[in-house]
Amino acid sequence: MNTNNPLILDTHIDIRWPEPPDWLTHTDRCVDLPKMREGGMSAAVFIAYVAQGPRDHVGHAAAAARAEAMLRHIRDRADGTTARFCATPDEVEAAFAAGVPAVLSAVENGYAMGHDLGRIALWRRLGAIYLTLTHDGHNALSDSARPRKNLGDAEEEHGGLTALGRAAIAEMNRVGLMLDCSHVSKAGMMQACEISRVPVAVTHTACAALNAHPRNLDDEQLDAIRACGGVAQITAVASFLRPAPPNGAAQATVADLVDHVEHAVRRIGLDHVGISSDFDGGGGVQGWMHAGESAAITAELARRGYGPREIGLLWSGNFLRVWRQVLRHVT
């Protein structure tokens, strides 16, 4: 691997749903196949995202139907020639070696599970590689880092994970579905790191030490990621990277993102840090506004003295290592 051609794996990209555009053509989205090729983005995890809603049978059923329809759509984006659908690290690396973009999928928000643990194995069979335990708003699995007052959420409801959330983590470990603690409350995230038999990922976050945002990880949380062997993926959401000015929106740059990468590296070591965009879900900073500009991150890392090995670990190697450890413990 050389500095100009790392395996760039973006671990969190949203899609328009319903009625997604034809991703094989140039679109108004931050990520489509032409932009991936232009920016050298080797692999993309597209997200079956479900917003938090009423915690009743009707709400859970609708969320499950949406998530599973999205997973099937994401799988069908790849024809095996133009792009390959990948559900293991070996498949991702083989696609990269062949010069073919890799399409991956994941579910965001365990709300879609309802109380049915059987959906975890179903999602893995459909090709999902991870489940983000919550989104904004508490669910039946865990408290969220950002409660939804419009849904009646208290600041804290469960004290972190619920008994069902603990059972869900055990089932995820069993079937090889990675656990993503993005959006999860600090208590829930710390508990997840303690009870999971395999390393935990946080696929789109940043560092609270540099910007005290509720979605960011503080140093104690970063330490927990290191202790469990996991990985924290620093993401290109401007409000995570820099505080918003009064009466304005946060603005951030590639340099700001790499500042957060460097804080995490100093705190917990290079082997536990990665990079993601959250494109089409709020991500995008000056210099990296779409997949076609992905080389800007590589260039900034190289400018700061990171070599090919280190850049490869940050873009994909660390995440692939965690994923492999998850799959090795499937029972």
Side-chain angles (χ1 to χ4, degrees), residues 18-310:
E19 300 179 356
D22 179 3
W23 92 293
L24 298 175
T25 66
H26 276 286
T27 70
D28 62 353
R29 309 301 284 170
C30 296
V31 182
D32 49 41
L33 188 57
K35 292 187 186 78
M36 284 182 67
R37 290 190 179 280
E38 290 160 9
M41 184 178 285
S42 320
V45 184
F46 293 103
I47 303 304
Y49 160 70
V50 176
Q52 185 61 36
R55 284 180 259 169
D56 55 28
H57 176 73
V58 172
H60 288 143
R66 173 188 167 105
E68 286 148 26
M70 293 178 80
L71 288 176
R72 291 184 172 94
H73 162 78
I74 294 165
R75 184 179 59 190
D76 289 345
R77 287 186 165 201
D79 60 8
T81 302
T82 306
R84 293 185 190 176
F85 184 75
C86 297
T88 69
D90 288 351
E91 290 172 354
V92 172
E93 291 180 339
F96 177 65
V100 180
V103 171
L104 302 89
S105 69
V107 177
E108 185 171 29
N109 198 356
Y111 170 62
M113 192 196 89
H115 295 85
D116 183 2
L117 290 169
R119 293 203 177 273
I120 291 171
L122 171 61
W123 296 340
R124 181 59 188 146
R125 289 196 300 272
L126 290 173
I129 72 167
Y130 68 73
L131 167 63
T132 312
L133 211 58
T134 71
H135 195 256
D136 292 344
H138 308 320
N139 64 23
L141 305 179
S142 179
D143 289 336
S144 170
R146 291 195 288 195
R148 288 276 301 275
K149 292 184 179 179
N150 64 323
L151 294 176
D153 287 353
E155 280 301 304
E156 183 180 69
E157 180 176 333
H158 309 300
L161 299 174
T162 67
L164 180 64
R166 291 170 182 268
I169 290 171
E171 178 65 3
M172 292 165 68
N173 290 173
R174 187 187 73 81
V175 305
L177 192 66
M178 298 174 73
L179 169 60
D180 175 23
C181 283
S182 306
H183 289 280
V184 178
S185 71
K186 178 176 179 178
M189 178 265 180
M190 297 292 282
Q191 292 161 12
C193 288
E194 290 177 4
I195 69 169
S196 178
R197 293 189 297 109
V198 294
V200 166
V202 186
T203 66
H204 53 306
T205 189
C207 300
L210 301 187
N211 184 32
H213 190 284
R215 278 278 286 102
N216 287 349
L217 301 179
D218 65 24
D219 284 348
E220 185 180 16
Q221 289 173 284
L222 288 172
D223 292 347
I225 289 291
R226 177 180 56 197
C228 77
V231 64
Q233 303 284 114
I234 305 302
T235 202
V237 176
S239 62
F240 294 7
L241 302 173
R242 292 184 64 87
N247 303 316
Q251 302 291 324
T253 67
V254 164
D256 293 317
L257 187 151
V258 177
D259 286 345
H260 282 252
V261 169
E262 294 209 288
H263 174 82
V265 168
R266 286 192 297 268
R267 181 75 190 191
I268 60 175
L270 180 81
D271 291 342
H272 301 285
V273 185
I275 298 165
S276 69
S277 69
D278 202 6
F279 280 149
D280 296 316
V285 296
Q286 184 179 345
W288 194 33
M289 292 300 297
H290 56 76
E293 296 181 334
S294 298
I297 301 292
T298 303
E300 179 65 14
L301 290 168
R303 188 185 70 79
R304 299 194 190 197
Y306 290 83
R309 174 185 171 275
E310 291 81 11

